[in-house]
Each structure stands twice: as C-alpha cells, then as structure tokens.
Amino acid sequence: MESNEGNKGQLQIDVKQDVACGSYSNLAIISHSRSEFILDFATILPGAPKALVSNRIVMTPENAKRLLMALQDNMNKFETNFGYVDLGEKKGTYVMGFGGEKAKS
C-alpha cells in the first residue's frame, strides 16, 4: 500500500488488501452502553428474513461524537456540491435499509 514518508507531521494510513474494496451496507444498527458505542453494518435484501452483519465497529462515546461531527461536516460539503439529500421521511424518523423498526429521535 501507499506511504507518505515525505509528509512529516501527517498521519500515514495503510489499507489492507482485503479491506480496500470495502463492503456494501444498507442497514446500520447502533447500540450503546455507558462506555462504548457499537455500530453494526449489515446488508438486507428485499423479502429476505435476515440481514447479515458484515462489519462491527466499537468506539468510545467521545469518538462516536467525533464521527457524528465528521459525518455532518461531510454531508454539508456533499450537499453544497451536489444538492440536498432528501430522505423522503418525516423529521425525527431514521431508518436505513429495507425493514425493521423506525427509531425516533
């Protein structure tokens, strides 16, 4: 993988070959305890009785909040460049995927 040896003070990030292609997710399940957030990313097909979790990320509440802020910043930049992303749902209702219960804020 690539290295940034000439860039002092910058974080070097390597991506393992099996991770580089990424994985698709159309369902995210988020749970938390007092000390950590658990993000399960899954794929569910229309009409399928089960979703398969492909990735689980566990992080501290502080890092979960940093992720939230980074996603909001990137969504704002995306919408500035490409237009508003309409979810077609009522405010305060968040669903990602084909099924499951709707989470209320």
Side-chain angles (χ1 to χ4, degrees):
M1 296 276 87
E2 294 183 27
S3 178
N4 296 327
E5 292 182 24
N7 299 334
K8 294 187 188 215
Q10 291 188 349
L11 178 65
Q12 294 181 12
I13 298 175
D14 288 329
V15 179
K16 292 188 276 183
Q17 188 67 30
D18 61 329
V19 175
C21 291
S23 60
Y24 178 76
S25 173
N26 60 8
L27 176 66
I29 302 153
I30 303 170
S31 52
H32 65 276
S33 69
R34 182 167 174 74
S35 60
E36 59 198 13
F37 273 70
I38 299 98
L39 293 81
D40 284 332
F41 295 93
T43 303
I44 187 168
L45 300 174
K50 288 202 265 186
L52 177 63
V53 173
S54 57
N55 293 286
R56 173 173 282 172
I57 307 297
V58 181
M59 57 179 48
T60 64
E62 295 83 3
N63 284 335
K65 193 161 193 175
R66 287 183 183 100
L67 175 62
L68 172 68
M69 293 165 50
L71 284 170
Q72 185 61 62
D73 180 56
N74 276 270
M75 182 57 70
N76 289 340
K77 290 174 183 172
F78 178 91
E79 289 182 334
T80 296
N81 290 321
F82 303 107
Y84 178 73
V85 176
D86 184 7
L87 299 177
E89 299 171 354
K90 296 178 186 174
K91 186 175 180 178
T93 302
Y94 306 100
V95 174
M96 182 179 159
F98 292 110
E101 294 185 35
K102 294 186 179 203
K104 304 284 184 183
S105 63

